[in-house]
């Protein structure tokens, strides 16, 4: 069974890696990694393949940066050709980036010409691949986020919806998606974390920055709503400087954020602050070592809300909403604004935060459940 795993941007690599390794163990499966090229810098892409022990992508579409329509269109055009060439039986898309939606659109619309019977048997629809979405059902209910549009389109089209938690199942049912298509498998990000836990814990990256375990905050910001507006970005930078006066902060800077800081002459404003260290984006293992040892995270990332919840580390999410409400209800996550961030940090430093409890099926076994789901659907041996 030829299975395409679509990867595009930094958070996708941690989602395909455990699944790739699990599929590799099965005689019936031939997993093929398709990298769309949405992220292309070494430290946004290649370094992750190395850490996660992934082979070089079998197919690289090389689409690069662009506007939303450009990225989506380029992936569709390039991936349609790959689909016709390779005729996979199953296309697995992960997360919510532009490439996730674009690959889903291309795969859902393609119709292989039925030249022989084998092909018809092979492909369950009889004319194209099935599309499966891993991390289905997440909703922020905020359509100003490009990711929300990507989630809605992807889930509306996918044939199989693998969800991380019960709230995701409920969202899909509410949207009229048939229960038969939904399989709750848990959170695949925890599989990557568990797969590499020993290597993560062996590192002492924080020491390279003269930080002490449990005595610094980790910052990551890249959402357009936070970093594209000069006014908002400036206010955030002022707050970070102020927080860094009482808590050392380390801030690996995403390319989008670096561009915006540069354009708005805010880079030197941050550099001038001794408690705040600015870093390049880090590979997975080094970055996770900083997560494991921080006393709190300030972020707008989706994955970090989940990882901190799993590890019991307080997380302040600088957003008005989250598609991962379970990390607030059952985890260590809180939403905050530019205005409230400082007082929230102070509360956490006083030990006032929700400790959270474990979330069902966030256990490092999600890839196994996905493989079982595939073998059930396709009647694999
Ligand atoms: C994308 C995803 C977002 C995800 C994030 C993780 C969409 C809509 N957004 O946002 O959901 O959380 O990835 O990082 O798909 N750039 C580089 N080098 C790279 C990659 C990007 O310099 O390797 C630059 C691009 O030129 C662009 C900017 O960073 O100017 C943003 O990249 P893009 O892929 O468009 O979106 P992200 O903000 O990374």
């Amino acid at each position: 069974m030829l299975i395409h795993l679509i990867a595009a941007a930094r958070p996708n690599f941690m989602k395909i890696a455990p699944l790739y390794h699990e599929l590799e163990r099965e005689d019936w499966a031939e997993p093929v990694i398709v990298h769309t090229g949405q992220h292309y810098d070494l430290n946004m892409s290649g370094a992750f393949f190395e850490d996660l022990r992934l082979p070089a992508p079998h197919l690289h579409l090389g689409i690069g940066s662009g506007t939303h329509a450009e990225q989506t269109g380029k992936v569709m055009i390039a991936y349609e050709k790959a689909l016709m060439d390779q005729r996979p039986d199953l296309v697995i898309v992960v997360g919510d980036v532009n490439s996730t939606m674009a690959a889903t659109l291309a795969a859902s619309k393609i119709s292989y010409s039925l030249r022989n019977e084998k092909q018809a048997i092979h492909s369950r629809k009889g004319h194209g691949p099935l599309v499966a979405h891993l991390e289905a059902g997440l909703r922020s209910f905020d359509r100003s986020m490009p990711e929300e549009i990507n989630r809605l389109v992807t889930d509306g089209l996918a044939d199989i919806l693998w969800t991380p938690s019960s709230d995701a199942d409920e969202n899909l049912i509410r949207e009229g998606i048939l229960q038969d298509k939904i399989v709750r498998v848990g959170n695949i990000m925890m599989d990557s974390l568990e797969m590499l836990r020993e290597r993560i814990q062996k590192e002492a990256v924080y020491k390279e920055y003269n930080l002490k375990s449990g005595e610094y905050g980790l910052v990551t910001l890249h959402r357009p709503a936070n970093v594209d507006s000069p006014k908002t970005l400036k206010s955030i930078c002022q707050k970070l400087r102020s927080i860094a006066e009482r808590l050392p902060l380390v801030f690996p800077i995403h390319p989008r954020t670096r561009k915006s800081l540069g354009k708005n002459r805010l880079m030197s404003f941050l550099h001038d602050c001794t408690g705040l260290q600015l870093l390049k984006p880090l590979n997975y293992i080094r970055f996770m070592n900083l997560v494991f040892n921080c006393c709190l995270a300030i972020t707008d990332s989706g994955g970090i809300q989940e990882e901190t919840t799993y590890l019991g580390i307080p997380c302040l999410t600088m957003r008005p909403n989250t598609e991962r409400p379970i990390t607030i209800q059952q985890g260590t996550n809180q939403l905050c604004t530019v205005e409230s961030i400082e007082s929230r940090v102070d509360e956490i430093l006083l030990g006032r935060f929700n400790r959270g409890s474990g979330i069902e099926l966030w256990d490092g076994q999600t890839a196994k459940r996905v493989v079982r789901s595939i073998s059930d659907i396709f009647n694999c041996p």
Side-chain angles (χ1 to χ4, degrees):
M1 212 183 131
L2 188 61
I3 302 174
H4 277 185
L5 294 167
I6 310 295
R10 192 168 59 175
N12 296 161
F13 310 133
M14 290 83 95
K15 291 169 194 163
I16 64 153
L19 191 47
Y20 176 79
H21 295 305
E22 206 57 43
L23 285 168
E24 269 280 272
R25 293 203 188 105
E26 302 292 338
D27 291 341
W28 49 264
E30 189 187 343
V32 165
I33 298 176
V34 182
H35 191 328
T36 67
Q38 182 172 339
H39 282 179
Y40 41 84
D41 286 353
L42 178 68
N43 53 9
M44 295 294 284
S45 172
F48 283 76
F49 274 69
E50 215 168 282
D51 277 1
L52 296 159
R53 299 192 208 106
L54 287 171
H58 304 91
L59 261 172
H60 202 294
L61 307 180
I63 61 117
S65 301
T67 64
H68 287 275
E70 277 166 356
Q71 269 186 344
T72 307
K74 280 191 205 162
V75 173
M76 285 186 71
I77 293 164
Y79 188 48
E80 186 182 52
K81 289 198 181 88
L83 284 163
M84 286 313 288
D85 249 22
Q86 297 210 338
R87 299 177 179 240
D89 302 284
L90 175 65
V91 172
I92 299 179
V93 296
V94 298
D96 55 17
V97 302
N98 285 341
S99 302
T100 308
M101 175 185 73
T104 302
L105 276 166
S108 300
K109 296 188 99 174
I110 198 128
S111 180
Y112 304 149
S113 54
L114 296 174
R115 274 193 234 112
N116 60 48
E117 208 183 329
K118 180 180 167 277
Q119 232 166 42
I121 294 166
H122 227 60
S123 167
R124 295 191 91 234
K125 277 200 275 189
H127 56 81
L130 287 193
V131 178
H133 185 205
L134 179 55
E135 200 187 81
L138 299 188
R139 295 290 181 270
S140 64
F141 304 100
D142 175 0
R143 292 197 184 190
S144 70
M145 278 182 85
E147 293 83 358
E148 184 74 353
I149 308 287
N150 296 341
R151 292 181 200 116
L152 284 163
V153 174
T154 302
D155 287 343
L157 293 175
D159 304 290
I160 307 165
L161 297 132
W162 289 314
T163 59
S165 46
S166 54
D167 55 319
D169 297 20
E170 285 157 22
N171 290 335
L172 294 173
I173 298 287
R174 199 179 322 107
E175 286 168 18
I177 296 202
L178 295 177
Q179 177 78 60
D180 287 2
K181 292 179 163 189
I182 305 168
V183 185
R184 200 184 317 157
V185 291
N187 192 324
I188 193 85
M189 297 278 280
M190 305 315 136
D191 288 38
S192 280
L193 188 154
E194 289 302 342
M195 182 173 93
L196 295 173
R197 183 188 276 274
E198 240 176 78
R199 286 178 62 200
I200 293 167
Q201 285 176 328
K202 241 192 233 157
E203 296 270 342
V205 179
Y206 58 96
K207 287 189 184 157
E208 293 170 28
Y209 301 104
N210 295 318
L211 298 167
K212 291 197 183 115
S213 182
E215 295 184 19
Y216 66 91
L218 174 65
V219 182
T220 84
L221 296 165
H222 75 279
R223 296 268 162 224
N226 282 329
V227 307
D228 286 2
S229 142
K231 191 164 161 261
T232 310
L233 188 61
K234 188 164 183 207
S235 313
I236 292 176
C237 290
Q238 282 164 339
K239 294 289 178 184
L240 292 180
R241 271 186 66 135
S242 171
I243 294 167
E245 279 169 21
R246 49 193 186 287
L247 177 72
L249 295 178
V250 64
F251 183 8
I253 306 181
H254 186 283
R256 171 188 282 278
T257 313
R258 187 170 289 274
K259 271 186 200 166
S260 191
L261 287 168
K263 206 163 71 187
N264 296 296
R265 299 176 192 283
L266 287 165
M267 220 46 205
S268 52
F269 177 70
L270 290 182
H271 263 306
D272 284 350
C273 172
T274 46
L276 176 58
Q277 301 193 64
L278 309 177
L279 318 183
K280 292 204 172 100
L282 300 169
N283 61 14
Y284 179 71
I285 291 176
R286 286 172 60 78
F287 179 75
M288 287 308 295
N289 182 260
L290 288 182
V291 177
F292 269 61
N293 288 286
C294 70
C295 66
L296 62 87
I298 297 173
T299 192
D300 57 12
S301 140
I304 296 167
Q305 296 172 51
E306 299 176 334
E307 286 154 345
T308 48
T309 273
Y310 187 63
L311 296 169
I313 296 167
C315 179
L316 293 171
T317 298
M318 296 263 296
R319 284 177 44 190
N321 50 53
T322 176
E323 60 290 330
R324 292 158 164 95
I326 198 156
T327 60
I328 298 177
Q329 293 143 7
Q330 293 182 38
T332 54
N333 191 21
Q334 306 175 47
L335 300 180
C336 69
T337 59
V338 181
E339 291 71 36
S340 69
I341 181 96
E342 273 196 273
S343 57
R344 294 297 178 88
V345 167
D346 290 338
E347 291 282 309
I348 291 172
L349 293 179
L350 289 170
R352 294 187 199 133
F353 64 93
N354 193 350
R355 257 86 190 156
S357 54
I359 298 177
E360 207 192 337
L361 302 184
W362 293 26
D363 57 3
Q365 303 296 314
T366 291
K368 283 197 170 62
R369 286 187 283 269
V370 171
V371 170
R372 207 174 308 135
S373 163
I374 299 172
S375 85
D376 286 350
I377 291 165
F378 285 84
N379 288 321
C380 299

